[in-house]
């Protein structure tokens, strides 16, 4: 046995070195893949509290990186056409309603990793965005006055240490009576390509004068 090892020492050393290199290469790839996946943005827009207009819209950040919510757009499809408004000026009734467990003065602000915030009740978000879009004369005008059929919620955030812009989008619809709202898509769509980032940046620039 020892004679065989002594006679083939160089070959055995080479084999052990190669095996060690393969093991560490595989381990390194698994580590890199795990790190990459942990840094991927995982944002969700969800509805909670039933299907009425008093139900709430939540933004959940299920990634490990923190984000900063820059703006929330509501695209509204009415019987008369399309309109877009923001809810940047909307103030939740309390800091607790805004969520997150820390002080904030409105909807916009930081969203920690593995946390969520309430954007507000759908009724409040629609009333605020309808007023911003010029569809109503008052921020408290009932949603029923604009004959709303569908809406799309778009949240724009700076995500991660590089602060790249990313968008979270989800579609919702209203019943014929305009009293119940619900999602029409199973998942939240993420806008994170460079073309999407250019569009999101233009959207932010359009509201900077009034909301920032």
């Amino acid at each position: 046995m020892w004679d065989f090892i002594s006679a083939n020492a160089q070959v055995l050393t080479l084999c052990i070195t190669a095996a060690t290199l393969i093991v560490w290469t595989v381990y390194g790839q698994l580590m890199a893949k795990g790190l990459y996946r942990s840094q991927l943005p995982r944002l969700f827009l969800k509805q909670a509290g039933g299907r009425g207009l008093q139900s709430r819209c939540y933004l959940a950040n299920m990634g490990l990186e923190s984000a900063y919510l820059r703006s929330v757009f509501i695209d509204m499809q009415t019987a008369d056409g399309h309109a877009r408004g923001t809810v940047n000026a909307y103030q939740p009734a309390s800091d607790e309603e805004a969520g997150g467990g820390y002080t904030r003065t409105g909807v916009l602000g930081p969203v920690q990793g593995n946390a969520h915030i309430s954007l507000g009740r759908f009724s409040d978000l629609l009333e605020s965005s309808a007023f911003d879009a010029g569809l109503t004369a008052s921020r408290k005008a009932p949603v029923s006055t604009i004959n709303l059929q569908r809406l799309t919620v778009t949240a724009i955030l700076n995500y991660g240490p590089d602060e790249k812009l990313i968008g979270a989008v989800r579609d919702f619809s209203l019943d014929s009576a305009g009293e119940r709202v619900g999602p029409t898509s199973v998942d939240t769509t993420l806008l994170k390509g460079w073309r999407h980032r250019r569009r999101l940046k233009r959207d932010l620039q359009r509201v900077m004068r009034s909301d920032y």
Side-chain angles (χ1 to χ4, degrees):
M1 181 68 178
W2 290 109
D3 292 339
F4 175 80
I5 294 176
S6 300
N8 298 277
Q10 292 184 343
V11 175
L12 291 175
T13 301
L14 180 62
C15 292
I16 293 173
T17 302
T20 303
L21 179 62
I22 292 173
V23 169
W24 279 106
T25 299
V26 173
Y27 180 74
Q29 289 179 342
L30 292 175
M31 288 286 291
K33 185 177 181 179
L35 179 62
Y36 172 75
R37 293 186 63 181
S38 69
Q39 294 177 336
L40 288 176
R42 299 177 62 202
L43 302 170
F44 300 93
L45 289 164
K46 58 181 182 178
Q47 182 182 19
R51 288 292 184 264
L53 289 176
Q54 297 304 307
S55 61
R56 297 182 183 276
C57 182
Y58 284 89
L59 172 65
N61 176 17
M62 300 307 295
L64 297 180
E65 302 288 351
S66 297
Y68 190 92
L69 181 58
R70 297 286 304 276
S71 186
V72 179
F73 289 93
I74 308 291
D75 288 279
M76 296 161 284
Q77 186 65 42
T78 71
D80 300 320
H82 171 267
R84 165 176 268 203
T86 73
V87 297
N88 296 356
Y90 167 66
Q91 299 289 324
S94 67
D95 290 339
E96 182 180 356
E97 182 177 331
Y102 41 82
T103 302
R104 57 195 304 139
T105 58
V107 173
L108 308 184
V111 186
Q112 302 296 335
N114 289 321
H116 68 268
I117 61 170
S118 170
L119 301 182
R121 297 181 179 90
F122 276 91
S123 58
D124 296 332
L125 298 180
L126 289 171
E127 289 166 4
S128 181
S129 58
F131 174 75
D132 182 71
L135 297 179
T136 58
S138 169
R139 199 176 292 277
K140 291 298 182 181
V143 177
S144 58
T145 62
I146 62 174
N147 296 319
L148 185 64
Q149 299 171 342
R150 297 187 304 276
L151 66 137
T152 300
V153 180
T154 302
I156 302 179
L157 308 95
N158 288 113
Y159 189 86
D162 54 3
E163 298 184 351
K164 288 185 178 181
L165 284 178
I166 187 171
V169 182
R170 196 170 188 187
D171 297 321
F172 298 84
S173 64
L174 275 77
D175 63 3
S176 57
E179 298 176 350
R180 294 179 62 82
V181 61
T184 60
S185 55
V186 176
D187 298 318
T188 299
T189 301
L190 296 185
L191 308 179
K192 54 185 179 179
W194 68 269
R195 291 183 179 178
H196 289 140
R197 288 198 295 270
R198 289 179 59 185
R199 192 183 79 188
L200 296 174
K201 185 176 182 180
R202 288 196 299 267
D203 290 339
L204 287 177
Q205 291 172 340
R206 293 191 185 101
V207 299
M208 282 182 64
R209 292 186 180 90
S210 59
D211 293 312
Y212 289 80

